[in-house]
Amino acid sequence: GQNIDQPTEMTATEGAIVQINCTYQTSGFNGLFWYQQHAGEAPTFLSYNVLDGLEEKGRFSSFLSRSKGYSYLLLKELQMKDSASYLCAVRDQTGGFKTIFGAGTRLFVKA
Amino acid sequence: EPEVTQTPSHQVTQMGQEVILRCVPISNHLYFYWYRQILGQKVEFLVSFYNNEISEKSEIFDDQFSVERPDGSNFTLKIRSTKLEDSAMYFCASSPSGMYGGNEQFFGPGTRLTVL
């Protein structure tokens, strides 16, 4: 089966750096996504990792270790508008291709 | 910038009624998806669609659900006989590629379905 774990909530200060971790178990790993979701809105794509290592995109970076079943999303220079849920999602190719979402980490950015 | 659109934004229906949720994916995309999110819960995959057929579906996507691409632009999700537990936000998404490479999925704004 598949399982994705990420912390339920985190709080950080404006201007700081925060790291949101995600661990997963899946039999047919085929890529990991991070999405941002503001309350009442649709998820928006942040990053995609399929190979080990760090992908950097402006203030946001994502890291993947396939051997450890582990990823993190790093947010730098936090802004108040970064307060949102961050969803870790894994594409599983077992029996086809589908994307399994974690429950999300709700990030609160305080002044 | 092209975007995925969905109609209606909110649908209220009686239990047992059929509903059709509509989506217009981004025009040059090839892969289409439906997800649902029950209030306060995680996003759940329902179905993926490519080349005019279902390529993958989840356990949630039972015989009450069907998808269709009736023309070159629309992608619909039909629920034949709605149940109370079908109340959720339904998101349509599309991507330019599906299986290989960084296939960013672009989500529509969602249709909130309320079953009474």
Side-chain angles (χ1 to χ4, degrees):
Chain A
Q2 304 105 0
N3 193 42
I4 299 174
D5 289 310
Q6 48 182 136
T8 305
E9 284 186 4
M10 297 182 72
T11 301
T13 305
E14 194 175 18
I17 299 172
V18 71
Q19 177 174 312
I20 303 174
N21 296 323
C22 171
T23 58
Y24 64 88
Q25 296 93 41
T26 183
S27 50
F29 178 82
N30 191 253
L32 185 143
F33 300 85
W34 283 97
Y35 285 87
Q36 181 191 62
Q37 187 178 29
H38 284 98
E41 297 183 11
T44 54
F45 173 84
L46 293 176
S47 68
Y48 171 77
N49 296 67
V50 67
L51 300 176
D52 291 351
L54 188 68
E55 295 278 341
E56 296 186 78
K57 206 180 201 181
R59 293 190 299 116
F60 291 45
S61 304
S62 57
F63 171 84
L64 175 67
S65 169
R66 289 171 296 169
S67 62
K68 294 180 178 161
Y70 168 69
S71 173
Y72 67 73
L73 179 70
L74 195 70
L75 292 79
K76 303 175 189 173
E77 301 167 19
L78 279 173
Q79 302 173 9
M80 299 299 286
K81 66 178 183 179
D82 296 330
S83 293
S85 287
Y86 290 85
L87 315 181
C88 174
V90 171
R91 186 165 57 194
D92 188 322
Q93 65 181 6
T94 306
F97 286 84
K98 56 187 173 186
T99 305
I100 310 300
F101 280 77
T105 297
R106 189 179 293 183
L107 175 66
F108 298 94
V109 180
K110 58 182 184 179
Chain B
E1 187 171 332
E3 57 184 22
V4 177
T5 59
Q6 291 184 243
T7 55
S9 57
H10 193 183
Q11 174 91 47
V12 181
T13 189
Q14 296 289 327
M15 190 169 57
Q17 294 297 304
E18 174 183 286
V19 294
I20 297 176
L21 310 182
R22 302 181 192 280
C23 168
V24 179
I26 294 173
S27 63
N28 61 347
H29 284 187
L30 302 176
Y31 293 82
F32 314 116
Y33 313 84
W34 283 102
Y35 294 88
R36 78 172 186 192
Q37 188 174 31
I38 296 170
L39 188 64
Q41 298 187 24
K42 64 182 180 181
V43 175
E44 298 175 292
F45 169 81
L46 292 178
V47 67
S48 59
F49 191 87
Y50 169 71
N51 200 26
N52 285 319
E53 61 183 24
I54 291 172
S55 52
E56 180 63 26
K57 59 183 180 179
S58 71
E59 307 77 39
I60 302 168
F61 194 89
D62 61 21
D63 292 344
Q64 292 300 311
F65 291 86
S66 62
V67 289
E68 198 175 41
R69 189 153 162 83
D71 52 45
S73 60
N74 290 285
F75 179 51
T76 62
L77 174 70
K78 182 193 290 187
I79 309 175
R80 287 191 184 79
S81 177
T82 50
K83 302 187 284 283
L84 295 176
E85 53 265 38
D86 293 328
S87 295
M89 182 73 92
Y90 287 80
F91 293 109
C92 171
S94 68
S95 65
S97 62
M99 293 196 287
Y100 308 106
N103 60 329
E104 174 180 350
Q105 293 183 22
F106 295 79
F107 280 71
T111 293
R112 179 163 295 287
L113 176 65
T114 302
V115 182
L116 302 176

